Amino acid sequence: MQYMKPALRNGRYTLISSSLSNTLNPNPFIFFLTSPFHTLQTFRSQSPISCFSSSMAFSSAPDPSLEKQFGEFRTHLEQSGTLRDRIRTVVSEIESTTRLMYASILLVHHSRPTPELLEKAKSQIDVLKEKYKQLADILGGYPGQYYRYHGDWKSETQTVVSMLTFVHWLETGKLLEHKEAEEMLGLNGPEFNLDVEDYLVGVCFMSNELPRYVVNQVTAGDYDCPRNVLKFLTELHAAFRMLNLRNDLLRRKFDGMKYDLRKVEEVYYDVKIRGLTPNGESVADQGIKGQS
């Protein structure tokens, strides 16, 4: 094989043989070389992927049914957001009223419950009833949507029930029933009512107040209070055990009631061991006074 030197012709490199016979008999090593830039440009212009992408970008049209569907979604979400804002405004007012009511109830822990303290707390019940009526009116235009937005006022309602049951127990020594709580708050409508689970959680919250109340009352000299509270909590705990509770918030709150009952038992046993009587004197002191 003779030496072949490259020559530049019209922008292409060509291997030229010095022998005419090699030109007549093509050698497999004779080939054409194009510049890299020219090859890359040729590949890009003839790429089927590029042609496919361009045709998809300009030839495809939006699906009318898809636009209609998501347009309805947008309208639905905007209406739902507006409704939720109206609900949250009323719920915020319920929360403010609840704080005022709780501030009055806290005074019961520092002194004996008096009718004035209880009436001050009960004065907020009418305000709460009006707020729940506003919620009922708002949801009145959206039938069947109660449980969809129920979570927006669920926590506040549980707190309200806990305070109502506590005040009712201070006055009567009994538990406020579910129907009575519904009537007090005006939640006895066909579609807007007091959820049973919210009522039960509120009762569990109320039991959390009793151990503190018992300790403060014993400190103030009411040695018969632990016995009354222990009897009430024991019956309430036995009633809750009739329920088949799942592992949820209500179950956890019921488990907390066991510790409330144990704390009241400890106070009751301590008072009994010391021999303290309801009038503030021990049994030994009464015996000495009787002998004298």
Side-chain angles (χ1 to χ4, degrees):
M1 176 179 177
Q2 297 183 1
Y3 172 73
M4 304 172 65
K5 66 178 181 178
L8 180 63
R9 293 181 181 179
N10 298 326
R12 297 175 180 270
Y13 288 99
T14 306
L15 294 179
I16 302 176
S17 173
S18 60
S19 172
L20 183 60
S21 60
N22 291 336
T23 305
L24 298 177
N25 299 317
N27 193 293
F29 293 99
I30 298 177
F31 54 92
F32 295 97
L33 296 175
T34 59
S35 64
F37 178 77
H38 181 76
T39 304
L40 182 60
Q41 293 293 336
T42 304
F43 175 77
R44 288 179 177 175
S45 63
Q46 298 178 356
S47 173
I49 299 178
S50 177
C51 296
F52 177 76
S53 301
S54 300
S55 62
M56 287 294 294
F58 293 100
S59 63
S60 61
D63 188 356
S65 62
L66 191 63
E67 287 188 350
K68 180 181 178 181
Q69 178 180 238
F70 276 84
E72 294 175 353
F73 289 163
R74 180 184 61 186
T75 303
H76 175 75
L77 292 176
E78 289 176 353
Q79 293 177 353
S80 178
T82 303
L83 177 60
R84 198 175 295 275
D85 291 339
R86 294 174 60 190
I87 292 175
R88 288 175 178 174
T89 300
V90 180
V91 171
S92 178
E93 296 174 355
I94 292 177
E95 185 180 2
S96 300
T97 307
T98 303
R99 286 197 297 266
L100 294 176
M101 189 174 183
Y102 187 66
S104 302
I105 293 178
L106 283 178
L107 299 177
V108 176
H109 292 292
H110 300 288
S111 62
R112 293 179 182 270
T114 60
E116 292 77 10
L117 291 177
L118 298 180
E119 287 298 327
K120 186 176 180 180
K122 291 170 60 178
S123 64
Q124 302 297 328
I125 295 179
D126 292 336
V127 180
L128 292 173
K129 186 175 182 179
E130 178 63 26
K131 298 305 177 183
Y132 279 108
K133 183 178 181 301
Q134 294 179 11
L135 284 180
D137 294 338
I138 292 174
L139 289 177
Y142 302 87
Q145 300 294 318
Y146 174 83
Y147 283 102
R148 179 179 180 183
Y149 300 98
H150 171 244
D152 292 337
W153 66 83
K154 182 176 183 177
S155 177
E156 287 75 13
T157 302
Q158 294 169 356
T159 304
V160 169
V161 171
S162 69
M163 290 185 292
L164 292 180
T165 52
F166 186 47
V167 172
H168 184 78
W169 180 83
L170 290 174
E171 290 182 327
T172 64
K174 299 180 180 180
L175 177 67
L176 179 67
E177 296 184 358
H178 178 258
K179 292 182 179 180
E180 295 175 337
E182 283 186 325
E183 294 177 358
M184 293 177 68
L185 298 175
L187 297 177
N188 49 3
E191 294 188 2
F192 196 89
N193 46 44
L194 178 58
D195 187 72
V196 174
E197 183 176 348
D198 292 344
Y199 168 78
L200 294 175
V201 172
V203 172
C204 292
F205 283 153
M206 183 269 291
S207 71
N208 301 150
E209 297 288 337
L210 295 180
R212 179 185 177 187
Y213 176 77
V214 168
V215 172
N216 291 328
Q217 293 304 306
V218 170
T219 304
D222 185 1
Y223 300 109
D224 196 41
C225 180
R227 181 179 62 84
N228 296 329
V229 175
L230 180 60
K231 180 178 181 297
F232 171 76
L233 267 183
T234 302
E235 295 176 351
L236 183 62
H237 183 267
F240 264 88
R241 293 185 66 87
M242 298 172 58
L243 305 177
N244 184 18
L245 302 178
R246 299 180 179 180
N247 189 17
D248 54 4
L249 175 63
L250 181 56
R251 175 72 190 204
R252 293 192 295 270
K253 294 305 178 182
F254 168 66
D255 292 338
M257 187 185 296
K258 301 176 185 177
Y259 298 100
D260 299 332
L261 181 59
R262 183 181 302 176
K263 292 177 183 178
V264 175
E265 286 178 345
E266 292 175 354
V267 177
Y268 172 72
Y269 293 149
D270 186 61
V271 170
K272 189 174 182 180
I273 290 173
R274 294 175 182 270
L276 298 176
T277 58
N279 60 3
E281 297 179 352
S282 64
V283 177
D285 293 338
Q286 285 186 341
I288 295 175
K289 287 184 178 181
Q291 295 177 359
S292 61

